[in-house]
Amino acid sequence: MEQQKKKKTGLIIALCSAAFVLVLGASITLPLIFANSGSKSFQLFEKKYVSEYDLDYGETAYKVYTKWNVRKYKPNNGSKYLDVWYSGEKSTAREHLRFRVFDSSSQAKRAYKNMYESYEDYRGIDEEDDNWFAGWEPGVCDASIYNMVYIEDNVLIMAELEIVSEWPVSIDDDTEITPEPVRSGFDRSTLKDYVIKHSEDLKNFVLDKVLAA
């Protein structure tokens, strides 16, 4: 009888030890799996950048990270998002960009698709690839803006590649005048290649630096 009790005790201890090892292993491996998996089954564990950001919809936080600003939007049609832009004197390519951050990559894809269609309906898409397109931005007053939109996971990256002033010009004859591009010390034509090359780094900068500040 005593021997049977010892066997049962040993079995219980062995089972408890095995359960402990399984729980410990799961606590270590599951976060790694979630972090490295892009499958929809793990979307539940993604951070909700918009929903969790400490702003009311329609409010703006200025200089949250150096001179980067964040505004929280909840459109009547479409997914809520954070608008992120730089308001200081721009000295780097990154500071010339604007970002829209969504709670999920699926919401970003829907917004990207809607923007693509609006550009296409306006003046057509001039350039495109798997993750980006470029064309003249609709709904702009007093200027024509040739804009690039790039999608990287849950972030849209927007770069103004060319800005043409549309302010009226007074002339004394019938000579047709073509509006001149707005000139600055920065070569905007370099932004397209910059975004394509650094899209993941730009996404990480906005999520891990600006929104974490």
Side-chain angles (χ1 to χ4, degrees):
M1 180 68 71
E2 187 67 26
Q3 188 175 3
Q4 289 181 346
K5 287 183 179 180
K6 288 182 179 181
K7 287 183 179 180
K8 288 182 179 180
T9 301
L11 179 60
I12 292 172
I13 292 173
L15 290 173
C16 290
S17 298
F20 175 77
V21 171
L22 288 173
V23 171
L24 181 62
S27 66
I28 296 173
T29 57
L30 285 178
L32 294 176
I33 294 174
F34 296 153
N36 292 287
S37 174
S39 66
K40 293 183 179 180
S41 60
F42 298 110
Q43 294 297 313
L44 179 64
F45 299 93
E46 290 184 352
K47 179 177 176 61
K48 303 297 183 183
Y49 288 95
V50 184
S51 302
E52 297 175 12
Y53 198 76
D54 190 20
L55 269 183
D56 291 332
Y57 290 103
E59 285 189 344
T60 302
Y62 296 97
K63 298 182 179 180
V64 297
Y65 182 78
T66 62
K67 294 183 180 180
W68 287 91
N69 312 306
V70 180
R71 184 171 176 83
K72 194 171 184 177
Y73 281 98
K74 189 175 185 179
N76 293 329
N77 296 314
S79 302
K80 54 195 176 184
Y81 65 90
L82 298 175
D83 186 24
V84 182
W85 75 99
Y86 189 83
S87 60
E89 184 178 350
K90 299 175 176 64
S91 58
T92 67
R94 185 171 65 191
E95 293 166 354
H96 283 81
L97 305 177
R98 200 173 188 111
F99 304 87
R100 288 188 183 181
V101 179
F102 296 83
D103 271 339
S104 67
S105 57
S106 60
Q107 291 179 354
K109 287 178 181 177
R110 285 196 295 270
Y112 178 86
K113 180 176 181 291
N114 291 337
M115 291 182 72
Y116 183 98
E117 292 174 350
S118 67
Y119 277 68
E120 190 173 39
D121 292 342
Y122 178 55
R123 290 173 62 176
I125 303 298
D126 294 296
E127 306 172 79
E128 64 179 298
D129 207 336
D130 292 340
N131 296 324
W132 64 273
F133 68 86
W136 294 97
E137 183 177 354
V140 180
C141 298
D142 302 325
S144 292
I145 298 178
Y146 189 68
N147 202 33
M148 173 191 190
V149 182
Y150 193 106
I151 183 169
E152 181 68 36
D153 295 335
N154 64 316
V155 178
L156 298 186
I157 306 169
M158 290 166 286
E160 295 178 344
L161 305 182
E162 184 180 354
I163 303 175
V164 179
S165 175
E166 299 289 357
W167 283 98
V169 178
S170 177
I171 55 176
D172 297 328
D173 53 35
D174 296 331
T175 304
E176 183 176 349
I177 297 179
T178 301
E180 289 291 328
V182 176
R183 303 296 182 185
S184 67
F186 181 81
D187 184 2
R188 291 181 175 274
S189 66
T190 63
L191 287 175
K192 182 175 72 173
D193 290 339
Y194 174 77
V195 172
I196 293 172
K197 184 176 180 180
H198 299 284
S199 61
E200 186 173 1
D201 292 336
L202 290 167
K203 178 201 73 172
N204 292 335
F205 166 76
V206 172
L207 299 184
D208 300 337
K209 296 293 186 181
V210 178
L211 297 185

